Amino acid sequence: DKTICDKNNVKNNVIAGEIAEHNNGGISGITNTYGDGFWYLDALGTISNLGQSVFARQTFAKSNYGLLDNNYNPNCDYYTAVLFNKLMNNKVIGIKSNDVNTRVYAHCLTNENENGGNIGIAYINLNLEEITINLGNNINNVLLYELTPNDGNIESVSMKLNGIELKLNNGKLPDMNGKVIDGNNVVVSKQSYGFVVAN
């Protein structure tokens, strides 16, 4: 409990691992699908907001909740983790959504992002319709990294980044670049999650 740690001046980080449905090998058709990303990205954002810097998946490969499937191909959560680590750092910015079906988490960006932006927002849209994320004024450059199920079904075992299926190319990860958005209003698809980079 962070409050207990704070009161007792405990400085050790708690490492989350085998939590929620990610225990005892996971659940085939749940923890290895696009839909699991709603939980996973929410957990990454929540744990960061609580001041924790490590979220360790219990198993890297060869289970229903590993980041890689039994043939060592990336599951959807793998791509989500790659983008989270590429874009977000451990400097959290407190923001909230006024929509109970939309979750947002903001961080300063890492130095490796291609845009050189200042803020990264992880979003989760649980709504059954598209929504608009308003970034406010004084925004010059915006990139969207929208993750959607490959076949439109949240039970899909593959997903798209900005409409392009994510899959290995001769054993290498695909390019995972953001889509340039004009203006400060970002429209995201129903039941999608992803990242918005802004400066």
Side-chain angles (χ1 to χ4, degrees), residues 19-37 39-40 57 63-68 75-78 154-157:
I19 59 176
E21 70 272 15
H22 291 84
N23 64 67
N24 203 25
I27 304 165
S28 181
I30 303 291
T31 54
N32 57 348
T33 68
Y34 169 83
D36 191 63
W39 169 84
Y40 187 45
R57 288 291 280 261
S63 72
N64 291 316
Y65 69 156
L67 292 173
L68 304 179
N75 281 324
C76 295
D77 284 352
Y78 182 85
I154 64 171
E155 295 176 351
S156 176
V157 294

Side-chain angles (χ1 to χ4, degrees), residues 12-193:
N12 293 332
N13 280 332
V14 174
I15 297 175
E18 200 168 81
I19 59 176
E21 70 272 15
H22 291 84
N23 64 67
N24 203 25
I27 304 165
S28 181
I30 303 291
T31 54
N32 57 348
T33 68
Y34 169 83
D36 191 63
F38 293 106
W39 169 84
Y40 187 45
L41 188 54
D42 190 51
L44 288 170
T46 299
I47 290 198
S48 295
N49 278 349
L50 292 173
Q52 302 307 313
S53 60
V54 177
F55 185 115
R57 288 291 280 261
Q58 183 73 15
T59 302
F60 187 67
K62 295 249 178 192
S63 72
N64 291 316
Y65 69 156
L67 292 173
L68 304 179
D69 69 15
N70 289 336
N71 296 313
Y72 298 102
N73 292 307
N75 281 324
C76 295
D77 284 352
Y78 182 85
Y79 293 112
T80 303
V82 167
L83 285 172
F84 191 91
N85 285 308
K86 174 183 175 179
L87 300 171
M88 314 289 259
N89 76 18
N90 60 359
K91 294 178 184 170
V92 175
I93 302 166
I95 63 171
K96 284 188 171 184
S97 170
N98 58 4
D99 178 352
V100 296
N101 290 318
T102 304
R103 307 241 171 92
V104 290
Y105 302 96
H107 294 223
C108 295
L109 295 177
T110 63
N111 292 330
E112 293 96 29
N113 72 79
E114 75 240 30
N115 190 28
N118 298 325
I119 297 173
I121 298 171
Y123 76 87
I124 301 164
N125 179 19
L126 299 171
N127 290 289
L128 298 176
E129 63 272 339
E130 66 183 28
I131 61 164
T132 300
I133 299 172
N134 182 297
L135 300 174
N137 298 324
N138 301 320
I139 300 297
N140 297 316
N141 300 299
V142 179
L143 290 176
L144 173 63
Y145 297 80
E146 180 180 60
L147 299 168
T148 55
N150 191 39
D151 57 8
N153 182 342
I154 64 171
E155 295 176 351
S156 176
V157 294
S158 61
M159 68 180 178
K160 296 178 180 180
L161 172 61
N162 297 324
I164 300 170
E165 183 179 3
L166 291 171
K167 60 184 176 182
L168 294 179
N169 182 8
N170 293 324
K172 295 185 179 182
L173 287 176
D175 290 334
M176 298 176 69
N177 299 318
K179 178 173 95 173
V180 175
I181 302 295
D182 292 326
N184 60 352
N185 290 313
V186 181
V187 177
V188 298
S189 299
K190 69 177 185 174
Q191 294 184 319
S192 69
Y193 50 88

